Amino acid sequence: MYDFRHLPEFARYLLNGHVRQLVEDQLALSKEMKVPVLRFFSHIPDEQMIELSMEGATELLEYLAQNKAREQITLALEKWVANQLPMLQQVDLVAEDLTLINYVRGRVFKNWAAKFARDNHHLQSLVDEIDVYFLGSTTSATTTYIDILKNKIEEESHLSTQLINASPGLVFLFDLKRERLVFVNEKVKDLLGYPPREMEDWDLETVYSKVYPEDLESLIKKLLPLASDPSHRTIDVEYRFLHQSGKYVWLRTYSVLFKTTKNGRPLQLLGQSFDISSQKEISISLEKREEQLLAAQELARVGSFEWDIQNDTSTVTPELVKILGDTSRPIEEFLSKVHPADQGKMRKEIEKALKTGEHDFEYRYLAPDGEKILWGKAVVLFKDGKPYLMKGTVQDITSRKKAEQELKQKTMDLQRSNENLQQFASIASHDLNEPLRKIATFTDLVMAAEGDKLSERSKGYLKKVMDSSKRMRGMIDDILAFSAVNKPQQPEPYSLQSILEEAIDILEHQVKQKLAVITSDGLPRAMIIPFQMRQLFQNLLSNSIKFVKKGEHPRIEITHEYADHVEHPEPGLKPADKYLVIRFRDNGIGFEKEYADRIFGLFNRLHGKQAYEGTGIGLAICRKAAENHGGSLKADSEPGKGALFTLYLPQ
């Protein structure tokens, strides 16, 4: 009954600097619970009361620390029987004192247990032992109390009832011979909703009918050994019991043989039950979370482990067993399965982790089902400056690494393809330009030499040949320009105002021919790729000059400002703290809003070749140049109201 696993360690923990606080907590709760025995100490200051209680508390903890709970209970009872209690007479203690004192101690012990426990399982086991100890103490005290008062028959019944009813749990007495409940305290009304008198008429079959069917077998298996156990040990069992409301509540019941015949035959069973529904809900919730965690580990191919460094033992989750192909093992056996090329690095990483407290390493592992690439991440816990536990995760990243390698290869292939395509465009453009020049040259020669001999229809045909070759050369030049924009280049600090002036110089003939007026508010310096930004400016200006209303001169206004954010940003716009916003506004023919994005496509035209010349590549070059700067280019317009192009450059 009193061979505890966790209580001795807990007692040593309390002895190590916590005794005074423990006593203070007990005194505070005793006052709150109005323990009757305190009336004998009402004249003593709290500080003195604490000092007086320290000795007894220390003695109790020392016995528990040595796993001598039975000896402690026996010694305490002997002092009581011998009337050797400090400052108290044997009869000063009343029934309520017995339960409330142990209740107070038990409750305070449980509060401290929550601070001491390593995890919920440890806490649950420790609380169970605390309950067992204080139940034994209460039971023994109850028996002693009855022996002390055996000569006071009239008082015995009253005080016994008071003692039992003061218990925080349901106390019952079951007659084994008659197989019937013979006593249940008033607590049953609060705990299960049944009146005590009703339950005292229940036979064994009725009691069993209230137990949850799935729990009945384990309950019977636990209680049966009591009938033939002469040691009077306490049995505890958890099960669900039907409340009067129709719902089941979780009970933890501690039972012990209360009365036997002279030859040892069991007659009565004494028990105490506690409602543990809340604890069970927490426990079940934790179990579900653990199941969810294991399921998540399986999906992510992540397993977790704990390595006891001092004893060189480890525990692993099921998913890690799947990853490694077997169960936990000593560190040297584990390292033997690491790829030989990575073993040296792994040893150094572990040595480093035992000093720094952190481990983060990628390595190859020779599992039974083949070589894998694993990623380990862990922390090391220290005690007295020495590492004692490593806790961490291991993830199988073989598939991810394979995908990364394939992506890298595809990226390299795509880069080579782009380079080959650019080379092809350059060579093809050069080779195509030569026959086009000859077509234009010989067409001019024919027109010059034979023009007066040709019919008007033939002249028209030759003019179409010349116009077509001219458009073809323009397309070739634009394709080369678009190809050039796709080449990776490094930005540099450069004046955008200078870029604008250079673009105007290039378009000097068009500007003079159309009497275009181009103004700006003085563009700033920025990190740009000058060649690409010049193409962007040149194409936007050329567009505005080209698509002018009949009878009007082109007016182009270029302004700039800085903005902290961009409303409705394009997907490719790079995030930044600040953006340079440049606007190109003209007085041209404009276009429908529905074409605001379409105009940036390759070879897309909104007007016929006869109305406006061009290849339909210019705006595609503009948008590509903007994207190469991490920026974006938008268009906005209405027919007859000009166009607005807005360039966003992240700063």
Side-chain angles (χ1 to χ4, degrees), residues 39-224:
R39 67 186 185 276
F40 296 103
F41 304 97
S42 59
H43 62 288
I44 300 177
D46 285 357
E47 187 62 27
Q48 186 178 347
M49 185 68 178
I50 291 170
E51 292 297 330
L52 290 172
S53 303
M54 288 275 288
E55 181 178 350
T58 301
E59 182 181 84
L60 166 62
L61 292 172
E62 286 175 347
Y63 271 92
L64 294 180
Q66 299 176 49
N67 215 352
K68 294 182 178 181
R70 182 184 297 278
E71 290 88 334
Q72 186 277 327
I73 293 174
T74 301
L75 179 62
L77 294 178
E78 286 176 353
K79 289 182 179 180
W80 185 18
V81 172
N83 205 18
Q84 296 176 355
L85 297 177
M87 302 180 68
L88 287 174
Q89 296 299 312
Q90 184 189 70
V91 294
D92 287 341
L93 291 175
V94 297
E96 194 173 358
D97 286 323
L98 301 181
T99 53
L100 288 181
I101 289 173
N102 276 329
Y103 172 71
V104 167
R105 288 178 175 174
R107 185 166 154 186
V108 172
F109 267 46
K110 291 176 185 178
N111 290 342
W112 278 89
K115 302 175 184 178
F116 167 75
R118 294 184 295 272
D119 51 42
N120 285 328
H121 178 72
H122 184 209
L123 176 61
Q124 185 66 52
S125 300
L126 179 56
V127 168
D128 288 347
E129 293 187 2
I130 291 172
D131 283 338
V132 169
Y133 166 74
F134 283 107
L135 175 66
S137 179
T138 302
T139 303
S140 299
T142 302
T143 304
T144 302
Y145 185 78
I146 294 173
D147 289 341
I148 291 174
L149 300 178
K150 62 183 178 181
N151 294 324
K152 300 181 180 181
I153 303 299
E154 294 180 0
E155 295 179 12
E156 183 179 289
S157 176
H158 171 71
L159 292 175
S160 296
T161 302
Q162 194 176 22
L163 169 68
I164 294 171
N165 286 335
S167 169
L170 184 160
V171 179
F172 64 87
L173 198 61
F174 189 83
D175 192 309
L176 296 171
K177 184 177 181 181
R178 296 166 52 203
E179 294 189 346
R180 185 176 296 275
L181 278 170
V182 293
F183 173 77
V184 181
N185 70 343
E186 294 290 337
K187 192 68 177 180
V188 70
K189 184 68 177 176
D190 298 331
L191 205 63
L192 299 174
Y194 302 105
R197 296 294 173 266
E198 178 185 332
M199 285 193 68
E200 286 176 0
D201 194 40
W202 286 2
D203 57 16
L204 185 60
E205 184 177 349
T206 304
V207 174
Y208 283 167
S209 70
K210 305 292 183 182
V211 177
Y212 192 72
E214 293 181 9
D215 301 338
L216 182 59
E217 184 178 352
S218 62
L219 175 65
I220 294 174
K221 284 183 178 180
K222 279 272 191 174
L223 293 177
L224 277 178

